């Protein structure tokens, strides 16, 4: 009985830490969103220039995962995680010292590199320990905990921007990095030396090629990337749509953003109710596409904040299905090279997100963001119709062994 209690406590702590680590991406990206309009004035630059901070951060998150994922397959999860967290802390301090938009953008790239290790760990660690239904459950729980990040980040960022200024947001991010580094210390290494990639470091990078040989991995990692494109089209556009277009305050924007994040978290958990993760991915893609298309059509004729918010909320709710379904399916397929698989999934997501972020400011931002979301989720649906075979789906309604 004491062993079961200790195991439960250890598992609960692990889930909590994994949720916090997976939240690094949303926190680094979302927390300073309320300050974007202010920063265009502080740095005396255009909206597109400030949004490059989002783009370069996501590029850093993508590139960092491509290096740190294979490294964790060879050297273990924790040592690589510590390295990335130290880089994150140093880069965040540079963000605090920025006096120009160019220096800030460079520091954001380094910040993304540092934060990428936490994201790799949050996917590879559960894959080391679980498979099948249990893996899908862990990813869904981590995804739901991760939903706390976009809820808390803009709210905290809104208060920091209001009372301290935009630099206060990055001092808060600096403190978060230090606290999380301390929280990781009690967590045990999940990849023993006997299961690590042998040979040179270059050998571990072959995992990128080998992981794509796993049936379904390429399809579902791409589907995840397309859903992230829709998510970041929303993330990079909504501060300007709500604050500039519809005229809401920073605090109101933060609360609306938090509501949408709750929708993602609920969708991620409800995906477990679907019979397979493949079906959860398809349901999320199809209905998310219909919601984005409906929002585009309605807002074209009647520009109303409540219609905009309803369309976005429903779209993001079903994106939660994709985040659980596509991630669990791809990671289960590529579990032999979990670090590389996690890196590919994360990198694809942030590359897609980084590409669409500056595009949303083209033309009328309200319509452009909806168009990008509609195209991304439409392509995701089409890809699953053409190549998403049932055998790729991980069953989530039956019990599987660890």
């Amino acid at each position: 009985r004491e062993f079961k209690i200790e195991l439960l406590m250890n598992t609960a702590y692990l889930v909590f830490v994994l949720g916090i680590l997976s939240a690094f991406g949303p926190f680094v990206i979302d927390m300073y969103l309320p300050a974007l309009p202010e920063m265009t004035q502080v740095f005396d630059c255009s909206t597109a220039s400030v949004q490059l901070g989002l783009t370069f951060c996501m590029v850093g998150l993508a590139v960092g995962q491509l290096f740190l994922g294979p490294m964790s397959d060879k050297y273990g999860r924790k040592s690589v995680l510590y390295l990335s967290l130290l880089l994150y802390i140093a880069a965040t301090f540079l963000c605090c010292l920025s006096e120009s938009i160019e220096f800030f953008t460079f520091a954001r790239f380094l910040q993304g590199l540092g934060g990428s290790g936490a994201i790799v760990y949050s996917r590879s660690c559960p894959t080391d320990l679980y498979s099948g239904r249990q893996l899908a459950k862990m990813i869904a729980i981590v995804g739901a905990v991760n939903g706390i990040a976009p809820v808390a980040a803009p709210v905290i960022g809104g208060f920091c921007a209001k009372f301290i200024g935009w630099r206060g947001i990055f001092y808060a991010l600096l403190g978060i990095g230090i606290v999380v580094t301390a929280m990781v210390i009690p967590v045990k290494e999940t990849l023993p030396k006997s299961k690590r990639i042998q040979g040179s470091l270059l050998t571990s990078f072959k995992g990128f090629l080998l992981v794509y040989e796993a049936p379904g991995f390429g399809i579902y990692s791409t589907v995840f990337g397309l859903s992230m494109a829709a998510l970041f089209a929303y993330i990079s556009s909504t501060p300007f749509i709500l604050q500039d277009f519809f005229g809401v305050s920073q605090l109101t924007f933060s609360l609306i953003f938090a509501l949408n994040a709750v929708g993602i978290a609920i969708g991620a958990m409800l995906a477990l109710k679907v019979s397979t993760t493949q079906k959860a991915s398809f349901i999320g893609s199809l209905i998310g596409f219909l919601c984005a298309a409906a929002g585009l059509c309605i807002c074209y004729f009647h520009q109303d904040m409540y219609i905009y918010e309803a369309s976005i909320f429903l779209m993001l709710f079903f994106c939660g299905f994709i985040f659980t379904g596509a991630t669990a399916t791809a990671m289960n397929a590529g579990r032999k090279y979990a670090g590389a698989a996690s890196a590919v999934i994360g990198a694809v997501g942030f590359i897609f997100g980084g590409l669409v972020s500056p595009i949303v400011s083209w033309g009328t931002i309200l319509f452009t963001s909806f168009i990008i979301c509609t195209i991304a989720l439409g392509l995701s649906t089409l890809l699953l119709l053409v190549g998403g075979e049932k055998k790729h789906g991980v069953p989530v309604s039956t019990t599987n062994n660890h």
Side-chain angles (χ1 to χ4, degrees):
R1 183 179 178 182
E2 291 180 355
F3 174 77
K4 289 183 178 180
I5 293 175
E6 182 180 359
L7 181 62
L8 181 62
M9 292 177 64
N10 290 339
T11 302
Y13 184 76
L14 177 63
V15 170
F16 179 73
V17 172
L18 290 175
I20 296 296
L21 291 172
S22 69
F24 255 71
F27 252 97
V28 172
I29 294 166
D30 298 345
M31 193 164 167
Y32 90 121
L33 289 180
L36 284 180
E38 173 195 349
M39 292 176 70
T40 60
Q41 300 176 3
V42 172
F43 288 120
D44 191 24
C45 61
S46 66
T47 298
S49 296
V50 173
Q51 286 175 323
L52 282 176
L54 289 172
T55 300
F56 273 78
C57 180
M58 285 186 277
V59 170
L61 286 165
V63 173
Q65 289 182 77
L66 291 176
F67 281 95
L68 297 178
M71 286 177 63
S72 72
D73 284 336
K74 177 171 176 57
Y75 299 113
R77 310 298 184 205
K78 284 196 68 175
S79 58
V80 174
L81 177 61
Y82 282 136
L83 175 66
S84 68
L85 288 174
L86 290 176
L87 175 58
Y88 167 85
I89 291 171
T92 306
F93 185 66
L94 291 179
C95 288
C96 298
L97 301 179
S98 298
E99 295 293 341
S100 68
I101 191 64
E102 293 79 13
F103 186 85
F104 174 77
T105 302
F106 173 70
R108 287 283 288 170
F109 172 72
L110 295 180
Q111 193 181 35
L113 284 177
S116 65
I119 301 172
V120 168
Y121 187 91
S122 70
R123 292 196 190 98
S124 56
C125 174
T127 309
D128 291 337
L129 301 174
Y130 304 100
S131 65
R133 179 181 184 273
Q134 292 300 321
L135 175 60
K137 185 177 179 180
M138 284 292 290
I139 288 175
I141 292 174
V142 169
V145 174
N146 190 19
I148 298 174
V151 170
V155 175
I156 296 173
F159 277 108
C160 290
K162 183 176 181 179
F163 297 107
I164 308 176
W166 71 269
R167 293 184 197 275
I169 295 174
F170 287 92
Y171 281 118
L173 286 171
L174 178 63
I176 290 171
I178 295 171
V179 171
V180 171
T181 302
M183 289 175 58
V184 170
I185 295 175
V187 179
K188 297 180 180 179
E189 173 63 60
T190 59
L191 186 65
K193 291 184 178 180
S194 60
K195 292 185 178 181
R196 297 177 188 176
I197 300 296
Q198 304 301 313
S200 65
L201 177 60
L202 184 62
T203 304
S204 65
F205 283 90
K206 292 181 180 179
F208 287 134
L209 299 176
L210 296 173
V211 78
Y212 268 99
E213 296 178 0
F217 179 84
I219 292 173
Y220 287 94
S221 59
T222 304
V223 167
F224 175 80
L226 289 168
S227 66
M228 288 289 281
L231 176 65
F232 282 110
Y234 153 74
I235 286 176
S236 57
S237 64
T238 192
F240 300 98
I241 293 173
L242 290 178
Q243 293 184 71
D244 294 344
F245 196 85
F246 290 118
V248 305
S249 66
Q250 284 185 342
L251 182 58
T252 301
F253 158 74
S254 299
L255 295 176
I256 293 174
F257 198 84
L259 174 65
N260 293 335
V262 171
I264 297 175
I266 294 173
M269 290 302 297
L270 287 181
L272 292 173
K273 300 296 182 180
V274 185
S275 58
T276 67
T277 52
Q278 184 268 347
K279 290 182 180 178
S281 302
F282 180 73
I283 290 171
S285 296
L286 177 60
I287 303 181
F289 160 71
L290 294 175
C291 292
L296 173 62
C297 294
I298 296 172
C299 285
Y300 182 80
F301 295 102
H302 184 62
Q303 298 168 17
D304 180 82
M305 188 186 76
Y306 295 102
I307 294 175
Y308 166 79
E309 169 55 19
S311 303
I312 288 295
F313 179 86
L314 291 173
M315 182 195 76
L316 294 175
F317 171 78
F318 285 103
C319 279
F321 279 64
I322 307 174
F323 297 151
T324 293
T327 304
T329 305
M331 286 301 297
N332 202 66
R335 63 182 303 105
K336 187 176 180 181
Y337 303 94
S342 176
V344 170
I345 294 170
V348 168
F350 284 112
I351 288 172
F352 280 36
L355 289 174
V356 304
S357 291
I359 297 176
V360 297
S361 61
W362 295 1
T364 303
I365 194 168
L366 175 64
F367 302 132
T368 305
S369 60
F370 263 131
I371 290 171
I372 292 173
C373 292
T374 302
I375 292 174
L377 295 175
L379 289 174
S380 176
T381 304
L382 182 62
L383 183 59
L384 290 173
L385 282 172
V386 173
E389 301 177 13
K390 287 185 178 181
K391 65 180 181 180
H392 297 153
V394 178
V396 294
S397 60
T398 57
T399 302
N400 287 271
N401 295 328
H402 293 189

